[in-house]
Amino acid sequence: MKNKKVNVSLILAISIAIIVFALDLTSKYLVEYFLPNVGDSANFLPGFIGFVVVHNDGAGWNLLSGMPALLIVLTLVILALLITFYALQMKKYRNKTSKLLSIAFAFIVGGCLGNLYDRIFFGYVRDFLNFEFINFPVFNLADTFLTIGVILFVIYFIFFYGREDKKKDIAKEEEKNS
């Protein structure tokens, strides 16, 4: 039974990551289909959010602009570290793999893959979502899922990471005392 739970968590994570990746690429394709030129725009919810086609060759807020190779390498390193951490957590807590960790992991991996795909095949990331009510960089669905994934990851670390170790230590201490 223990392996079944690990497999369910892994299948959940892989499935969500694939869905996030597919949603990101589909949304970018649709926006470029209907708004084919850089700078083209359309209102979605006037005064709140709209679409504007932007090609970003940097990271958020145009950081590391003009350094696509570095951004590709950084993304691959982050993905490798994240996959290693997730695999170690799966191995360590076979029967108690956190769904929160699986979802956070999947959102981050799916988002990273969406932007990595753009950097490799286009040399830039295709952004299109624009908050009209504040001065905020134009972004895409991959960025949205990355942000949500990081927030969930932080919540996991603050409230859940290491909790199983503490439970095991308490159980061992109770065994010694009885």
Side-chain angles (χ1 to χ4, degrees):
M1 278 303 205
K2 289 181 181 180
N3 286 339
K4 186 176 180 186
K5 234 181 183 180
V6 170
N7 291 337
V8 169
S9 295
L10 185 58
I11 290 168
L12 174 71
I14 291 170
S15 299
I16 292 172
I18 290 169
I19 290 168
V20 166
F21 179 63
L23 284 172
D24 179 60
L25 292 186
T26 301
S27 67
K28 291 171 180 174
Y29 170 79
L30 288 172
V31 167
E32 285 195 335
Y33 180 80
F34 290 105
L35 302 171
N37 301 309
V38 173
D40 284 353
S41 63
N43 285 329
F44 182 65
L45 295 173
F48 182 68
I49 194 164
F51 300 126
V52 61
V53 176
V54 174
H55 293 169
N56 182 0
D57 68 349
W61 286 273
N62 234 7
L63 296 172
L64 302 175
S65 182
M67 300 180 175
L70 177 61
L71 288 168
I72 289 169
V73 170
L74 283 173
T75 302
L76 292 172
V77 168
I78 289 167
L79 281 170
L81 291 172
L82 187 62
I83 290 168
T84 301
F85 173 78
Y86 187 73
L88 290 172
Q89 288 300 107
M90 297 271 293
K91 184 177 180 181
K92 185 175 182 180
Y93 300 116
R94 262 182 225 200
N95 58 346
K96 304 264 184 181
T97 305
S98 168
K99 285 187 179 97
L100 178 64
L101 176 61
S102 293
I103 293 168
F105 169 79
F107 280 12
I108 295 169
V109 168
C112 281
L113 290 175
N115 285 340
L116 181 63
Y117 177 92
D118 279 7
R119 284 194 179 96
I120 290 170
F121 291 101
F122 299 105
Y124 53 82
V125 173
R126 299 171 290 169
D127 290 329
F128 58 89
L129 294 168
N130 182 35
F131 283 131
E132 296 173 351
F133 64 96
I134 58 172
N135 186 14
F136 193 78
V138 178
F139 58 101
N140 58 44
L141 287 184
D143 299 334
T144 303
F145 282 108
L146 274 165
T147 302
I148 294 168
V150 168
I151 291 167
L152 293 175
F153 210 67
V154 169
I155 290 169
Y156 170 78
F157 270 102
I158 291 171
F159 296 106
F160 301 102
Y161 182 74
R163 191 174 258 183
E164 290 303 313
D165 290 338
K166 289 177 187 175
K167 286 180 185 178
K168 286 179 185 176
D169 291 344
I170 290 169
K172 284 180 185 177
E173 193 64 36
E174 287 175 357
E175 255 180 48
K176 283 182 187 179
N177 294 334
S178 26

